[in-house]
Amino acid sequence: MVLRFLTKDAPYNIAIAPLTFAQGLGIGIFLAAILYGLILFKKGNNNCADRADYCLLFICMALFNPNAWMTNFTFLIPGYMLIIYYLMKTRCKDIPILILFILSFALGSWGSESVAGEALEDLLEKFSTITFTGLVLMAALFRLKRKTI
């Protein structure tokens, strides 16, 4: 996604910043290292924190897989399951996590041709909404990790 949005050689012509492929790759690797560091070294303070760590690592498997097949995004399912469990346990009183959950699910669902139609699906695929789906779900899981339950 970093290469798609930041390099001038990207096939989708989005190029927010005219970086070279190597510069974009360097930024992507740096951001990935930060994400992995936040997952592995930042400990949570609740009983869902360890489960959230595993869910976050599963999401990273989907996001950083070089072939980016849509079937890889089934790795988001454990994260959704943990968030649903947490929301049921708290009776949906944690509004920020509920909003992030709904936004993530909506972004992932809109990317389907059967929901959005072919033209809109192509546009959403161009801007990589499935990647944003994973990132928003990650934000919800990071917030869950910090919560005291």
Side-chain angles (χ1 to χ4, degrees):
M1 183 181 83
V2 172
L3 292 173
R4 182 178 291 189
F5 282 103
L6 297 180
T7 61
K8 59 186 172 197
D9 300 328
Y12 291 101
N13 296 323
I14 298 173
I16 296 171
L19 300 177
T20 65
F21 181 82
Q23 291 170 328
L25 190 61
I27 290 172
I29 290 171
F30 176 73
L31 293 174
I34 288 174
L35 273 176
Y36 278 123
L38 288 172
I39 294 167
L40 298 175
F41 300 118
K42 178 74 172 129
K43 296 297 175 199
N45 55 357
N46 63 53
N47 59 356
C48 287
D50 289 336
R51 293 180 195 108
D53 285 338
Y54 287 114
C55 294
L56 288 164
L57 288 173
F58 274 125
I59 294 170
C60 285
M61 285 172 48
L63 291 180
F64 303 132
N65 188 333
N67 61 17
W69 292 337
M70 293 298 282
T71 54
N72 291 339
F73 287 91
T74 57
F75 287 118
L76 275 59
I77 292 172
Y80 282 120
M81 291 171 59
L82 182 62
I83 295 291
I84 289 170
Y85 167 76
Y86 170 74
L87 290 172
M88 287 173 36
K89 189 173 177 183
T90 61
R91 301 189 194 283
C92 296
K93 291 182 181 174
D94 193 339
I95 302 300
I97 288 182
L98 179 63
I99 290 170
L100 288 170
F101 171 75
I102 292 170
L103 179 62
S104 174
F105 191 79
L107 283 171
S109 299
W110 288 338
S112 171
E113 184 179 344
S114 60
V115 174
E118 189 174 340
L120 186 56
E121 186 236 351
D122 289 343
L123 179 68
L124 293 173
E125 191 173 293
K126 176 181 178 180
F127 288 103
S128 191
T129 56
I130 193 70
T131 304
F132 287 114
T133 296
L135 292 174
V136 170
L137 184 60
M138 282 182 108
L141 289 166
F142 276 123
R143 180 167 172 80
L144 174 62
K145 230 174 118 166
R146 286 193 351 228
K147 301 292 287 182
T148 53
I149 301 174

